[in-house]
Amino acid sequence: MTARLDTTTQSPQLFRKFGEISMALKKSSLEHPLQALVEIRASQINGCTFCLDMHVKQATLQGEKPLRLHHVAGWRESTLFSPRERAALAWTEALTTLSPQGVSDELYRQVRGEFSEQEITELTYAVMVINGWNRLNVAFRTPPGVLDQAYGLDKAGLAV
């Protein structure tokens, strides 16, 4: 895959601001393993190999179990995820693939049963942000792994 252009040099201020939102989410009340699941699932749905590669490597470095990472795509059938994680994954899917009917009351009740109002807001921002990154990297064909060394992701031991 050949990158179409480098957004960091074409629009550095916007790239920096979007990065600031991402960093603020890392300081939110949502636990990091949950955020990783959200990032991975949205990236799978959106076909963003750059983000999928990055977030699997980050999750690995943070101690996530490999089998759970393999099960994210089939989380509904897997027994490896808690009710809280399942609610977050369902919310991620609903917001990533918005239906004409929007988000159902049933799903909102499920999410509300696992998350506080603040956490639901932060979870929604997490889904919004990863979808934005996905769209940016899919549009401009950012090759997976190009920032591994810069972000320390080469330490995950997942290079080809």
Side-chain angles (χ1 to χ4, degrees), residues 1 39-55 130-139 141-142 144:
M1 174 188 307
E39 292 162 340
I40 290 166
R41 186 63 188 128
S43 299
Q44 288 173 334
I45 292 167
N46 290 321
C48 184
T49 308
F50 174 83
C51 290
L52 181 59
D53 179 82
M54 172 186 283
H55 295 298
I130 190 57
N131 275 285
W133 285 120
N134 289 166
R135 280 146 179 76
L136 190 69
N137 287 299
V138 167
R141 295 186 178 162
T142 310

Side-chain angles (χ1 to χ4, degrees), residues 8 19 27 33 51 56 63 65 84 89 101 111 127 147-148 152 156 159:
T8 63
K27 297 175 184 171
C51 290
V56 164
K65 293 181 175 94
R84 180 176 170 87
L89 289 165
Q101 295 77 33
V111 172
V127 175
L147 296 175
D148 281 6

Side-chain angles (χ1 to χ4, degrees), residues 34 38 83-93 111 115 123 127:
L34 182 86
V38 166
R84 180 176 170 87
E85 291 167 332
R86 297 172 76 72
L89 289 165
W91 192 251
T92 300
E93 287 184 0
V111 172
F115 294 89
L123 177 60
V127 175

Side-chain angles (χ1 to χ4, degrees), residues 2-127:
T2 304
R4 290 180 169 154
L5 58 84
D6 180 357
T7 59
T8 63
T9 58
Q10 297 305 311
S11 300
Q13 292 167 322
L14 293 173
F15 185 86
R16 219 173 3 264
K17 289 293 182 188
F18 206 57
E20 287 175 20
I21 295 171
S22 294
M23 296 312 293
L25 279 166
K26 297 298 178 197
K27 297 175 184 171
S28 75
S29 64
L30 296 176
E31 55 273 24
H32 290 263
L34 182 86
Q35 288 185 45
L37 294 176
V38 166
E39 292 162 340
I40 290 166
R41 186 63 188 128
S43 299
Q44 288 173 334
I45 292 167
N46 290 321
C48 184
T49 308
F50 174 83
C51 290
L52 181 59
D53 179 82
M54 172 186 283
H55 295 298
V56 164
K57 288 173 182 172
Q58 286 175 335
T60 299
L61 288 169
Q62 293 170 356
E64 184 59 80
K65 293 181 175 94
L67 188 57
R68 281 173 41 92
L69 294 174
H70 289 294
H71 278 225
V72 172
W75 67 268
R76 290 180 192 278
E77 292 80 27
S78 177
T79 59
L80 301 180
F81 302 100
S82 69
R84 180 176 170 87
E85 291 167 332
R86 297 172 76 72
L89 289 165
W91 192 251
T92 300
E93 287 184 0
L95 296 181
T96 299
T97 58
L98 283 172
S99 78
Q101 295 77 33
V103 178
S104 73
D105 289 339
E106 179 183 336
L107 176 56
Y108 181 76
R109 280 191 294 278
Q110 177 189 358
V111 172
R112 187 65 180 97
E114 296 294 332
F115 294 89
S116 70
E117 289 181 353
Q118 177 183 344
E119 290 172 326
I120 293 170
T121 303
E122 291 171 349
L123 177 60
T124 302
Y125 273 102
V127 175

